[in-house]
Amino acid sequence: MGLSGIEIFKKLPKKNCKECGVPTCLAFAMQLAQGKAELSLCPYVTDEVAAELSEASAPPIRTVTIGVGDNALKIGGETVMFRHDKTFENPVGFAILISDSMSEGEVDDKIKQFNETSFERVGLNLRPDLLALKSEANDTNKYASLVKKVAEQTEGNIILISESKEMMEAGLNCCKEKKPLLYAVTSNGGSDIAGLAKENGCPLAVKGANLEETAQITERLVKEGFKDLVIDSGARNIKQLLEDQIKIRRAALKGKYRPLGFPTITFPNEMTNDSMKEAMYAAIMVAKYAGIIVLSGFDAPRIFPLLVQRLNIYTDPQRPMVMEQKIYELNTPSKNSPVIVTTNFSLTYFIVSGEVEGSKVPTWLCIMDTEGLSTLTAWSAGKFVPDLIAAYIKKIGIADKVEHRKIIIPGYLAQIKGELEDELNNEWEVIVGPREAGDLPTFLQRIA
Amino acid sequence: MSLNIPLEKYTGSIRETIIGGSNKAVKIGGESVLAFHKFEGNIPNKPLVALGVCDIKPTDWAEAAIEPFKDCLDNPTAWAKKCVEEYGADVVCIELLGTDPNGENKGPEEAAEVVKGISENINVPLIIYGSGKSEKDTAVLKKVAEACQGKNVLIGASKEDNYRSVGAACLGYKHSVIAETPIDVNLAKQLNILLNNLGLPMENIVIDPSTGALGYGIEYTYSVIERDRLAALTQSDEKMQVPIICNLGKDSWKTKESKISQEEMPSYGDVKKRGIMWEAVGAMSLFVAGANVVVMRHPEAAKLVKTVIEELL
Ligand code: B12
Ligand code: SF4
């Protein structure tokens, strides 16, 4: 953000006419500085001042949208170097590369990989985001038919890759309405492509030979009125690429250096022929600042861990992921299976359910809403305490699912056993489980 | 506007810890910049992958993690030798799972025997973890420290509730100690201070920040490592200026995602490759955050990560 209330105030008309809804221009300026008001509420600011203020208050890294509608991918907009300072804003997009020189079968296979990659986790659907379509055959018809096919057969966002205006135009004609990312303007070419981006309102990628050159190109484009840029520093070895990513974010956030204040696009697919290594490069880019990662394929063993890594890196460190409050049926439990209860902190759930599933013992897992706190934290915060747990047990209807009346609690909460039994009107026997989930399998096998 | 990249202002550096006694000793730490930030400072020692060996045949790992060692799972010495001779391990990490009081509950003498056997038969440095059950570890790690006298190994974990005895054993027999705390900068610092007050030099302390596997809390570990490194490097917090170790392999290979077969879960794809990637992506994340040592299980995952580390330096 940057501008203080006073700095903004200096630029306001100072009429104190109240038309903006607050008593004075100063009060309005303060609200603007806090992001609580819109500049357009004041009818008297000149266009010039409006432009100046919006430029000065623009975020240090621009948010760029690729695509349209609910499926559109937003990248950039980041405000910190480290996720513990503030949540990383817009998760990095994963793209699969498809070239018009690939065989029909290969193309179909990649499209299928894109469409079928989907993993369920914490109630979320983990999916990749983009298809990067590269023109290599030097044949407008071929390129157009590839783009057409992809636009028809997938809901994904599109990156068009070509340095030739003809190819780009052919591709763009088949997917204009999807507002694809056009890749790329370079130092010695691509001004035609920039023209196409402008005409069609598409975001535009820039590729330099190094950081300096990249910044020179974006600076030029910004002067020409381009806003939605995505940058490729040109690095194609992991050491240089990581260095560039760190420098780009630093320059934008700490140096307020506008020419690098854009999300980045990276190409692990061009950096190695070894698919496992490619995934390693991608993992580094997920952690360190890429906006888009282009991969050669989305085979499950590679893309699944990367999607989970992205989920982990981009979660809000202050607000843990939570599971839905309900009874989870592990290993198809029956009327005689043990009942265990714990909190809805996703980590607690994953660890406990993982151990129970591994044990193969059929089990009812009752997950209680504790606002995403771990067992001990929730207990300390008064959210996983006997009266609340008892109320939950009564409400959730586990009594209808089992014939026995035994409930297992986490070992760390041994001290609540008596009180919890009282709260449950002594209708249930409370059994203290082991402290560590790792010891649950032995414990369950013993009592089952 | 000319390109001007603000550099990070580093005011401290990480101490070097030496593990091992022979000519194959390794150094960890020593860096004066964040992970892989070679463009703004010195990283004298490369981050290390340690390969894990257990004192008993593990029961809860994925098939793929067992397979490379299936001819030697009953023989820890042979297992460790295979890690070194066949898979080129720079460091071996022995995990004394068999001493777990809730498991096979093997005694301290037996554990020390195993460690001794390994240490006499391989020439790479050793890291030794107990079962993680504090009380039992107190007895086990003391015997282990004694058995490894002169070998300058890295022993853990010492925690809030057993650091005195584990720390004293390491001090007495001249080893380095792993200080484990639950994902918290202040707790880590406090334990380092307590160990240091026992007489252990800072050079002989290595932080274990508690490690979650990918999808199982790795983001907490990731962020606490970054915070630990910032405290040490940019806030000159002397008591945090020690290397970091993460024991990842054991949790990674227990995850459902590493274990469940393709038949049961077709959309997950090949189970072996998936497990390897799960471990490798996790390890890479921890190294990028700033870990100096990551303990891994699968030789292929370890090799992959090692190759990429080489490229990054
Ligand atoms: C991260 C953390 C936090 C985070 C919260 C993260 C979260 N989502 O819960 C934050 C920073 C918000 C936090 C806050 C607080 N925290 Co806190 N926190 C921790 C920390 C470091 C890790 C917790 C964690 O994530 N554990 C991992 C999960 C997976 O563990 P878990 O849920 O217990 O599950 C394990 C076992 O219990 C078992 N298990 C789980 N379910 C079941 C079920 C059955 C049947 C069985 C058998 C086993 C089992 O399996 C799991 C793995 O083994 C712990 C330290 C520690 N050693 O645990 C302190 C800790 C839990 N916090 C503590 C305290 C006091 C607090 C605060 C009250 C601090 C304060 N004074 O403000 C607040 C309360 C929160 C609030 N809103 O008011 C204390 C609790 C003290 C006590 N013994 O009761 C601890 C132990 C730290 C300490 N040593 O002082 N905390
Ligand atoms: S509308 Fe504009 S000029 Fe009138 S008080 Fe508000 S800020 Fe001042």
Side-chain angles (χ1 to χ4, degrees):
Chain A
M1 283 287 139
L3 284 195
S4 71
I6 300 295
E7 284 167 315
I8 297 173
F9 172 68
K10 287 182 186 153
K11 298 186 193 294
L12 290 179
K14 305 197 189 61
K15 285 165 162 301
N16 294 331
C17 68
K18 303 189 178 55
E19 286 180 44
C20 54
V22 283
T24 63
C25 294
L26 181 61
F28 184 59
M30 292 302 171
Q31 293 216 336
L32 282 176
Q34 291 165 19
K36 286 183 184 159
E38 289 271 339
L39 189 62
S40 59
L41 287 172
C42 170
Y44 304 107
V45 282
T46 60
D47 290 349
E48 201 181 316
V49 169
E52 216 178 303
L53 285 180
S54 75
E55 163 73 9
S57 64
I61 297 175
R62 189 169 173 85
T63 305
V64 174
T65 304
I66 301 165
V68 289
D70 292 346
N71 257 343
L73 176 73
K74 264 205 226 164
I75 52 173
E78 301 298 340
T79 55
V80 291
M81 298 296 297
F82 301 101
R83 62 184 292 282
H84 58 257
D85 286 330
K86 191 178 163 293
T87 322
F88 286 176
E89 207 57 44
N90 293 307
V92 46
F94 288 110
I96 187 167
L97 189 101
I98 312 183
S99 159
D100 61 1
S101 62
M102 287 176 179
S103 71
E104 194 87 357
E106 221 175 326
V107 170
D108 289 341
D109 183 50
K110 303 273 176 192
I111 292 178
K112 189 162 167 249
Q113 280 187 20
F114 180 87
N115 285 336
E116 290 182 356
T117 300
S118 158
F119 303 95
E120 210 55 54
R121 209 177 169 82
V122 238
L124 297 171
N125 185 11
L126 308 187
R127 294 261 305 119
D129 314 273
L130 304 133
L131 302 104
L133 310 179
K134 188 169 188 178
S135 132
E136 286 182 306
N138 199 22
D139 175 341
T140 45
N141 289 332
K142 251 189 147 167
Y143 192 50
S145 68
L146 169 67
V147 178
K148 191 155 179 274
K149 184 172 201 170
V150 167
E152 280 170 7
Q153 294 184 8
T154 80
E155 305 260 281
N157 299 302
I158 291 178
I159 306 172
L160 296 177
I161 303 182
S162 171
E163 301 200 347
S164 119
K165 180 184 183 195
E166 259 183 292
M167 295 298 155
M168 194 56 95
E169 211 160 20
L172 193 52
N173 278 332
C174 306
C175 66
K176 263 189 192 127
E177 65 296 341
K178 290 204 174 201
K179 300 282 179 220
L181 172 65
L182 308 190
Y183 178 98
V185 175
T186 59
S187 66
N188 50 16
S191 50
D192 300 341
I193 290 169
L196 287 174
K198 192 169 248 175
E199 276 164 42
N200 294 282
C202 294
L204 178 64
V206 165
K207 179 190 180 188
N210 51 44
L211 267 191
E212 240 141 82
E213 196 184 282
T214 310
Q216 279 162 12
I217 308 171
T218 59
E219 204 169 2
R220 193 186 77 218
L221 289 168
V222 167
K223 282 206 187 97
E224 291 171 23
F226 287 92
K227 292 202 170 85
D228 291 322
L229 300 177
V230 175
I231 56 185
D232 171 2
S233 71
R236 291 296 183 270
N237 74 72
I238 191 61
K239 184 179 174 183
Q240 187 64 47
L241 184 61
L242 176 60
E243 178 179 330
D244 286 357
Q245 296 294 313
I246 295 166
K247 286 183 168 174
I248 289 170
R249 184 161 296 187
R250 279 235 197 105
L253 297 185
K254 296 196 170 175
K256 304 272 179 275
Y257 182 65
R258 292 275 166 202
L260 293 179
F262 299 97
T264 62
I265 180 166
T266 61
F267 291 88
N269 68 312
E270 291 181 12
M271 291 162 56
T272 172
N273 292 324
D274 176 336
S275 72
M276 308 274 265
K277 227 165 151 187
E278 186 187 321
M280 285 293 98
Y281 296 160
I284 296 169
M285 287 299 106
V286 169
K288 290 293 167 194
Y289 313 145
I292 294 174
I293 297 172
V294 183
L295 294 172
S296 60
F298 284 162
D299 46 306
R302 287 196 299 151
I303 192 69
F304 185 23
L306 290 172
L307 286 165
V308 171
Q309 187 207 13
R310 172 175 79 175
L311 178 71
N312 287 166
I313 294 285
Y314 278 85
T315 49
D316 182 345
Q318 258 83 51
R319 219 185 32 193
M321 283 190 296
V322 299
M323 300 301 297
E324 191 191 333
Q325 165 165 310
K326 67 172 193 187
I327 303 172
Y328 291 78
E329 305 183 3
L330 306 181
N331 308 324
T332 41
S334 71
K335 284 192 174 310
N336 304 315
S337 305
V339 175
I340 64 183
V341 59
T342 191
T343 73
N344 76 332
F345 178 29
S346 68
L347 187 52
T348 303
Y349 166 83
F350 276 124
I351 295 175
V352 171
S353 68
E355 293 291 349
V356 175
E357 281 175 350
S359 77
K360 305 259 193 282
V361 179
T363 304
W364 302 96
L365 173 59
C366 301
I367 292 292
M368 176 170 154
D369 182 358
T370 56
E371 293 165 29
L373 295 179
S374 77
T375 56
L376 276 179
T377 318
W379 176 75
S380 310
K383 297 194 165 95
F384 196 58
V385 287
D387 54 331
L388 296 180
I389 301 176
Y392 163 71
I393 294 296
K394 288 173 192 163
K395 189 178 86 182
I396 195 91
I398 186 68
D400 304 332
K401 302 210 183 248
V402 292
E403 277 167 359
H404 65 79
R405 287 294 176 267
K406 288 182 188 143
I407 185 152
I408 304 166
I409 60 167
Y412 283 111
L413 296 183
Q415 71 273 27
I416 69 169
K417 173 180 155 75
E419 206 183 321
L420 179 56
E421 283 176 342
D422 287 347
E423 292 284 351
L424 287 163
N425 314 324
N426 291 309
E427 284 159 19
W428 290 79
E429 179 191 346
V430 173
I431 299 178
V432 177
R435 294 179 148 215
E436 294 303 324
D439 295 325
L440 254 173
T442 337
F443 179 82
L444 288 173
Q445 275 148 8
R446 206 177 62 227
I447 65 160
Chain B
M1 249 183 171
S2 71
L3 179 58
N4 166 28
I5 313 278
L7 292 183
E8 185 73 61
K9 286 193 198 71
Y10 296 102
T11 51
S13 62
I14 307 300
R15 286 164 191 274
E16 265 181 359
T17 298
I18 300 171
I19 318 175
S22 65
N23 51 356
K24 285 234 176 178
V26 294
K27 284 187 193 161
I28 55 173
E31 67 272 20
S32 53
V33 291
L34 290 170
F36 306 116
H37 286 45
K38 234 188 159 168
F39 55 92
E40 55 187 1
N42 195 15
I43 305 180
N45 303 306
K46 69 173 184 226
L48 280 185
V49 172
L51 272 184
V53 169
C54 301
D55 61 335
I56 51 165
K57 192 171 171 171
T59 51
D60 56 356
W61 296 3
E63 195 49 45
I66 304 253
E67 190 223 40
F69 303 105
K70 58 174 182 286
D71 54 339
C72 52
L73 289 169
D74 293 322
N75 181 343
T77 301
W79 185 346
K81 280 182 89 144
K82 192 165 188 183
C83 285
V84 178
E85 285 158 17
E86 211 168 311
Y87 300 122
D90 305 310
V91 185
V92 164
C93 175
I94 310 171
E95 288 180 65
L96 300 168
L97 301 178
T99 62
D100 191 332
N102 297 330
E104 292 193 23
N105 200 15
K106 294 187 183 228
E109 280 77 18
E110 211 174 330
E113 255 335 282
V114 169
V115 172
K116 200 155 190 240
I118 295 177
S119 75
E120 281 166 1
N121 281 284
I122 62 172
N123 60 358
V124 303
L126 286 181
I127 300 169
I128 299 135
Y129 270 100
S131 63
K133 303 281 156 55
S134 294
E135 213 174 305
K136 182 70 181 284
D137 277 355
T138 304
V140 169
L141 296 178
K142 190 168 166 229
K143 278 281 164 215
V144 165
E146 189 183 342
C148 294
Q149 192 163 15
K151 303 258 178 195
N152 189 27
V153 299
L154 176 61
I155 295 181
S158 70
K159 302 187 195 176
E160 193 189 359
D161 52 0
N162 70 357
Y163 77 91
R164 277 175 194 281
S165 41
V166 178
C170 290
L171 182 63
Y173 296 103
K174 296 201 167 51
H175 301 300
S176 293
V177 68
I178 297 169
E180 182 185 324
T181 43
I183 323 189
D184 187 283
V185 182
N186 295 321
L187 294 177
K189 179 175 172 175
Q190 195 187 333
L191 188 54
N192 288 351
I193 293 174
L194 291 171
L195 284 163
N196 193 216
N197 287 348
L198 279 183
L200 269 157
M202 289 307 287
E203 287 76 12
N204 293 108
I205 301 174
V206 175
I207 294 174
D208 179 335
S210 298
T211 303
L214 184 64
Y216 293 81
I218 199 167
E219 68 272 35
Y220 293 90
T221 312
Y222 180 91
S223 282
V224 88
I225 295 176
E226 288 200 328
R227 297 180 61 186
D228 285 351
R229 290 304 72 166
L230 288 169
L233 296 169
T234 67
Q235 294 145 29
S236 305
D237 194 333
E238 274 198 43
K239 301 297 177 192
M240 292 301 285
Q241 291 168 343
V242 300
I244 292 176
I245 183 170
C246 293
N247 192 353
L248 173 73
K250 76 172 199 293
D251 286 332
S252 192
W253 286 99
K254 276 202 314 201
T255 62
K256 177 170 90 184
E257 291 78 3
S258 302
K259 277 176 160 175
I260 198 164
S261 72
Q262 189 169 5
E263 288 71 47
E264 277 174 274
M265 210 58 170
S267 72
Y268 280 18
D270 180 65
V271 61
K272 177 179 165 195
K273 193 172 169 195
R274 189 199 321 140
I276 290 173
M277 286 315 305
W278 208 268
E279 185 178 33
V281 168
M284 206 64 242
S285 310
L286 298 171
F287 278 123
V288 168
N292 298 85
V293 184
V294 176
V295 183
M296 298 179 71
R297 294 278 194 227
H298 201 286
E300 259 181 78
K303 188 169 156 216
L304 183 60
V305 172
K306 271 161 80 169
T307 321
V308 177
I309 288 176
E310 295 283 347
E311 293 178 19
L312 283 166
L313 289 175

